[in-house]
Amino acid sequence: MATAADAADLSPDCALDYLLQVGALKKTKRTGWVENGVPLFHVESVGDHSHRMALITLLNRDPDVDTDKLVRVALMHDVAESIVGDLSPKQMREQGISKEDKFRMEKAAMVKIAAQLDHPAMTARLYDYWEEYERLESKEALWIKDIDYLEMCIQAFTYEQDHHVDLEGFYNFANDAKVAHPWLRQLRAALRARRDAWLAASGVQLQKVDRPAVFTLPDPPSVLLPCAAALAVGVAVGWILRARS
């Protein structure tokens, strides 16, 4: 655990370097949603995903699982993606990236990110939370892996309701072999029941979309708003000229 001494000798400049780097998670899109038809402007970021995972950990009632560690591992588990990006399974297949390759890339990223703190004890602590998740050797890491899948399914339901895209494959992927903890299985079953009830009551016909593998992108407003503004000006000028003619 962190101590007062840890905080006292942590350079503010180094802390800012670290915080600015991990802030990239807030503009790194979750690639799988883009590939399955969710409109880009509405695709959640990796930071969004990790935040709700951390909120789920606070619901833990298992006395054999350390809630404090759950929160920490949840917040750190995708930090490497602030450098590597969110590689989808489709991307990995098409680019010939193996799971071992992905692990090496993310490990190098985590070493770089944690080292920005220039604080050996804190650097080791943050790296260890990430590696604990990757190794899946503790109860807490296994719990986080379960909620990684569970949070994905909750988000899939939201996108189905909002955009009527068929995301059945995400629910099927998060099966009993993936979600092992009994209470989290109950939560997943409740979600499936609520989805089925919504589909029956709404009469919505979900549409299957299959897009090519994509690279994760920065938040679209920062890229596209200047173009949108130029288009709006062009339309306005056109109307003015038409009105004068």
Side-chain angles (χ1 to χ4, degrees), residues 25-229:
L25 296 172
K26 299 172 74 173
K27 58 183 180 181
T28 302
K29 298 297 184 181
R30 295 263 286 166
T31 309
W33 303 129
V34 183
E35 293 172 350
N36 284 272
V38 177
L40 184 60
F41 277 24
H42 297 279
V43 171
E44 66 169 343
S45 70
V46 175
D48 295 328
H49 167 65
S50 295
H51 178 252
R52 184 155 58 184
M53 282 183 61
L55 292 175
I56 294 172
T57 67
L58 298 178
L59 304 179
N60 172 45
R61 305 295 294 168
D62 187 337
D64 295 325
V65 178
D66 184 342
T67 298
D68 182 69
K69 182 185 280 190
L70 286 176
V71 175
R72 294 166 186 262
V73 175
L75 292 173
M76 292 301 299
H77 86 288
D78 273 344
V79 162
E81 292 184 9
S82 68
I83 291 178
V84 175
D86 181 32
L87 290 169
S88 71
K90 181 183 288 188
Q91 281 181 321
M92 292 173 64
R93 287 193 302 272
E94 295 186 0
Q95 298 174 33
I97 300 173
S98 67
K99 290 182 179 181
E100 292 76 17
D101 293 334
K102 182 174 182 284
F103 175 78
R104 285 191 291 269
M105 292 163 62
E106 293 187 344
K107 179 176 181 178
M110 274 305 305
V111 169
K112 179 179 179 180
I113 293 165
Q116 289 177 311
L117 292 170
D118 194 25
H119 188 290
M122 196 166 291
T123 292
R125 185 180 304 121
L126 295 181
Y127 176 85
D128 286 348
Y129 291 138
W130 172 82
E131 187 172 57
E132 181 170 349
Y133 171 76
E134 289 293 323
R135 299 296 184 189
L136 296 178
E137 294 175 347
S138 68
K139 291 180 179 179
E140 288 76 19
L142 292 169
W143 214 90
I144 294 298
K145 192 66 175 177
D146 282 1
I147 67 168
D148 196 2
Y149 295 128
L150 177 63
E151 199 284 330
M152 175 187 73
C153 291
I154 296 171
Q155 189 62 46
F157 182 45
T158 297
Y159 286 144
E160 288 181 326
Q161 290 180 303
D162 290 348
H163 305 294
H164 298 176
V165 290
D166 185 352
L167 299 172
E168 176 71 24
F170 288 87
Y171 301 95
N172 294 338
F173 184 75
N175 55 34
D176 282 351
K178 297 288 197 306
V179 180
H181 193 279
W183 185 77
L184 295 175
R185 283 186 178 181
Q186 292 176 26
L187 191 55
R188 187 199 58 190
L191 175 66
R192 288 302 300 256
R194 184 168 299 192
R195 177 183 184 252
D196 291 344
W198 170 71
L199 286 171
S202 67
V204 167
Q205 297 296 313
L206 300 177
Q207 302 299 312
K208 187 69 176 176
V209 178
D210 186 22
R211 291 179 175 168
V214 296
F215 292 101
T216 48
L217 302 170
D219 274 341
S222 64
V223 178
L224 300 180
L225 279 181
C227 300

